Amino acid sequence: VQLWHDVNRYDAHGNECKLREMTGIVCSQLCVQNIDSCPESLQPDCPAGQSFCADGQCHDECTDEIQALNPCHCSRSGSKLPHQAADLVPCMSSPNVTIHEFHPWKPENDIRSACGDAIGIVDQSATVGVWGKTWIGGDIDAVWAECPAAPSPNYKYDESYWIATYAVNGALALLVAIWSAYKFFAERSVRSWSAGHKLVNGGNKGASNALIAPEKASSFTEKDTKAGAATSVADTAGGGVRLWGYRNNFLGTICVWGIGTVTILWICFLGVWTADYYGSLPGKRHGVVYSLAYESSFLELATFLILWAIAFIILIALFVLKPHLRNYFRIQTLPSKGQFICIERTLHEIKMLIDESTWIQKQVNRLTDALVVLLSRDREFTTCPVSRTTQGRQYFTYQCTRYVYDTELQQYSPFEFELGTSNRALLAHGEGLTSEEASFRLELVGSNFIEVKVPGILAAFAREFMSFFYIYQFIFLWAFYFYAYYQVGVVDTGVILLSAGIKVVMRMQSERRLKRMAEQFEEVNVLRDGQWSRISTVDLVPGD
């Protein structure tokens, strides 16, 4: 498009457009300070018994409501009304006019000229001004009420719904800030200790990086250590493993519930604005569209988009921080003192044909790797509750293996009992175990039973909907609900819920089948204390 191309004036080739005739053009109101200054054709001529009022019409009585409708005030009052316009009164309305050669790129002059000619004003450039630009004074005895556009409505931000928003989010922010300060103070001893002590196995490659307790406690007996050998978490779970201890705290738990509550309130807040878009709010706002935005569609849309973006950021942030969120609101401590153990395990990815990649593929892989590290997706975090055996030993279960806190090694370790590697060594155990030894081994290795936990229906749906796919779907469905496409939103929501329901049912059925296959036990004959007895396979231990 050429630089000289001006819409409605020049065409794409630079030729000036042919002027056209415009009919039925409405003239602006002519305003004067004295009604006698109106042109003769616009002098008030009311029927008997009626008076000419400030709204430019004849009425039986000029009430305060009618007087407030003065078109010469351009919908302004009080301090917003210019003092030059305070005494203006309207003449009778001018007739509509026809302009034979209409200049659409600057229509004001054409309209003023045609309207002035229609009411008999000879030299209006010297005697008629324009509202807001040229006021009455000198030779100017009238003004055209070409009212400037009214300022767009905006919030005062002291509305009740904004005050509630400030209060709820401000309270949560203050609570999290207090928790962060308290957490930093409460974890100072752990930070100072971990800075001055080496990690298990000296931090060698492939060794466990589990934090160990600084204190010496009573260790297993000599008989115990001869019966079994302890291995590190890294030996059984793979290399690149670290353990972190955490304890619950009342204030941290309140923060977690607060974050969940505020997130739900944000979703509800979007629902309130969506209902307001359709005029469906209850009470005095019912039936009034855009009532929260002073009946401005633009302000309502802008507000919704900002709130929608904030809610989207909150949900994505919670999804990204999900592996760390709960433990952040616990107090980190030594693994030996924790109520929970967080196992951090490095994930190793195998990429095929990496040497044959193009330059673009390599750059994409490099960017992907950086993003994976930034979002901590290169590591797996599993938090396990710490329990105690009947003898008071601490342990947690990870990947179907019991890890008992070994006070000799000062770390959590799974016990492996040496049964021998030859027939002679195996025959040496032919007399069986004593009940005391069997009880001890059962305490260290746990039951000979794989427990498969199948969540309930509500927990299964919660697990399904916490994936990124559903977060993405539901946050974008709000746009359909809000902007007059709620029918599409309802249909899409129904499809998503139906799909999720089918997936949940199928997954629960698979988990129940796996549970039935895994949780098997039988009655067997076992030699204990030199006598054969019949016990459950759940109570079998290494060496039976």
Side-chain angles (χ1 to χ4, degrees):
V1 179
Q2 292 86 346
L3 293 176
W4 62 78
H5 178 52
D6 190 358
V7 176
N8 293 331
R9 185 172 184 180
Y10 298 100
D11 61 19
H13 303 288
N15 302 316
E16 190 168 18
C17 299
K18 182 180 179 180
L19 300 180
R20 53 179 177 162
E21 181 179 273
M22 297 291 292
T23 60
I25 294 179
V26 179
C27 296
S28 301
Q29 191 78 44
L30 189 67
C31 300
V32 296
Q33 286 185 337
N34 190 324
I35 201 70
D36 295 331
S37 300
C38 292
E40 184 176 352
S41 60
L42 300 185
Q43 288 286 337
D45 185 17
C46 295
Q50 290 189 341
S51 302
F52 186 74
C53 301
D55 65 345
Q57 303 292 330
C58 295
H59 297 279
D60 294 335
E61 181 182 0
C62 295
T63 63
D64 292 339
E65 291 79 6
I66 294 176
Q67 295 293 94
L69 300 177
N70 190 338
C72 297
H73 290 175
C74 288
S75 302
R76 287 163 173 77
S77 60
S79 60
K80 296 182 179 180
L81 177 66
H83 68 277
Q84 299 95 331
D87 297 329
L88 294 180
V89 292
C91 300
M92 292 289 289
S93 298
S94 303
N96 294 349
V97 297
T98 298
I99 302 176
H100 299 288
E101 294 185 348
F102 184 71
H103 298 76
W105 56 88
K106 196 172 182 181
E108 296 86 359
N109 292 336
D110 287 349
I111 296 175
R112 291 172 196 158
S113 178
C115 292
D117 293 342
I119 60 179
I121 298 177
V122 179
D123 186 15
Q124 64 169 315
S125 61
T127 59
V128 182
V130 178
W131 200 99
K133 299 177 181 178
T134 309
W135 297 103
I136 293 177
D139 294 333
I140 304 296
D141 58 3
V143 295
W144 292 112
E146 296 179 2
C147 298
S152 301
N154 204 349
Y155 304 110
K156 299 176 182 178
Y157 296 102
D158 60 355
E159 292 85 355
S160 58
Y161 44 90
W162 291 129
I163 294 176
T165 303
Y166 307 148
V168 171
N169 292 277
L172 179 62
L174 178 62
L175 190 61
V176 172
I178 293 174
W179 166 256
S180 299
Y182 173 74
K183 178 181 175 71
F184 181 83
F185 176 79
E187 293 177 352
R188 66 191 186 283
S189 59
V190 177
R191 288 193 302 272
S192 61
W193 177 85
S194 59
H197 289 71
K198 290 184 178 181
L199 300 176
V200 174
N201 297 326
N204 295 330
K205 184 177 180 180
S208 170
N209 286 339
L211 288 172
I212 61 176
E215 73 279 359
K216 272 288 192 178
S218 59
S219 62
F220 294 125
T221 64
E222 183 179 357
K223 182 193 74 170
D224 299 339
T225 55
K226 287 180 180 179
T231 59
S232 68
V233 179
D235 294 332
T236 46
V241 177
R242 305 178 70 183
L243 299 186
W244 309 95
Y246 291 94
R247 296 186 66 86
N248 276 334
N249 183 275
F250 180 72
L251 180 59
T253 303
I254 291 178
C255 288
V256 172
W257 281 99
I259 291 175
T261 302
V262 171
T263 302
I264 295 174
L265 288 177
W266 268 103
I267 301 300
C268 295
F269 201 30
L270 289 180
V272 169
W273 285 91
T274 303
D276 183 61
Y277 176 84
Y278 295 101
S280 300
L281 290 180
K284 63 180 182 181
R285 298 183 185 273
H286 185 73
V288 182
V289 296
Y290 321 132
S291 63
L292 296 177
Y294 297 102
E295 301 182 27
S296 169
S297 60
F298 176 80
L299 185 59
E300 178 104 348
L301 176 60
T303 304
F304 178 83
L305 289 177
I306 294 174
L307 297 176
W308 176 86
I310 293 174
F312 182 74
I313 292 172
I314 291 174
L315 292 176
I316 293 300
L318 291 177
F319 174 78
V320 172
L321 298 175
K322 182 172 63 174
H324 316 280
L325 189 65
R326 186 61 187 95
N327 284 336
Y328 178 78
F329 292 101
R330 291 179 173 131
I331 297 296
Q332 184 180 343
T333 183
L334 301 175
S336 60
K337 303 294 184 182
Q339 296 173 326
F340 299 87
I341 297 296
C342 178
I343 301 97
E344 175 188 339
R345 184 168 65 91
T346 303
L347 301 176
H348 301 284
E349 183 181 17
I350 299 176
K351 294 185 178 180
M352 307 297 292
L353 304 177
I354 189 67
D355 295 332
E356 300 179 11
S357 301
T358 63
W359 180 86
I360 295 179
Q361 289 174 325
K362 290 180 180 179
Q363 300 307 312
V364 171
N365 290 336
R366 185 178 302 174
L367 179 62
T368 302
D369 293 341
L371 186 62
V372 166
V373 173
L374 179 65
L375 299 179
S376 300
R377 297 299 172 180
D378 60 330
R379 288 161 290 167
E380 179 186 65
F381 297 87
T382 306
T383 300
C384 304
V386 174
S387 304
R388 289 186 177 272
T389 66
T390 55
Q391 299 298 320
R393 294 190 179 99
Q394 297 174 223
Y395 74 93
F396 67 89
T397 303
Y398 175 62
Q399 294 182 344
C400 300
T401 302
R402 175 176 290 193
Y403 293 83
V404 182
Y405 184 72
D406 188 341
T407 54
E408 180 70 24
L409 298 176
Q410 295 184 336
Q411 67 171 330
Y412 282 98
S413 308
F415 267 73
E416 296 178 356
F417 291 90
E418 182 61 46
L419 302 180
T421 57
S422 64
N423 289 337
R424 183 184 298 274
L426 292 175
L427 290 174
H429 301 284
E431 296 181 358
L433 302 176
T434 64
S435 297
E436 180 183 1
E437 178 65 20
S439 176
F440 167 74
R441 295 190 179 193
L442 183 63
E443 180 183 12
L444 293 183
V445 300
S447 300
N448 182 35
F449 184 77
I450 299 177
E451 182 182 6
V452 178
K453 295 183 178 179
V454 179
I457 187 68
L458 294 179
F461 270 101
R463 179 181 61 185
E464 180 71 18
F465 287 133
M466 287 178 67
S467 66
F468 178 78
F469 172 79
Y470 292 103
I471 294 175
Y472 169 84
Q473 287 285 337
F474 281 122
I475 198 65
F476 276 97
L477 279 176
W478 277 112
F480 289 100
Y481 286 129
F482 178 81
Y483 207 57
Y485 289 103
Y486 70 91
Q487 297 93 338
V488 177
V490 170
V491 172
D492 286 349
T493 301
V495 171
I496 292 172
L497 292 177
L498 179 62
S499 173
I502 294 174
K503 289 179 63 177
V504 167
V505 171
M506 293 181 63
R507 182 171 179 176
M508 291 184 67
Q509 288 177 346
S510 299
E511 290 175 341
R512 289 193 178 106
R513 284 195 295 267
L514 180 62
K515 182 181 180 70
R516 288 194 297 269
M517 289 190 302
E519 296 183 350
Q520 298 288 339
F521 60 92
E522 299 290 344
E523 295 289 325
V524 294
N525 294 321
V526 175
L527 186 61
R528 291 274 176 90
D529 297 321
Q531 295 182 352
W532 292 95
S533 59
R534 194 163 181 81
I535 66 172
S536 172
T537 54
V538 175
D539 298 323
L540 288 177
V541 295
D544 269 331

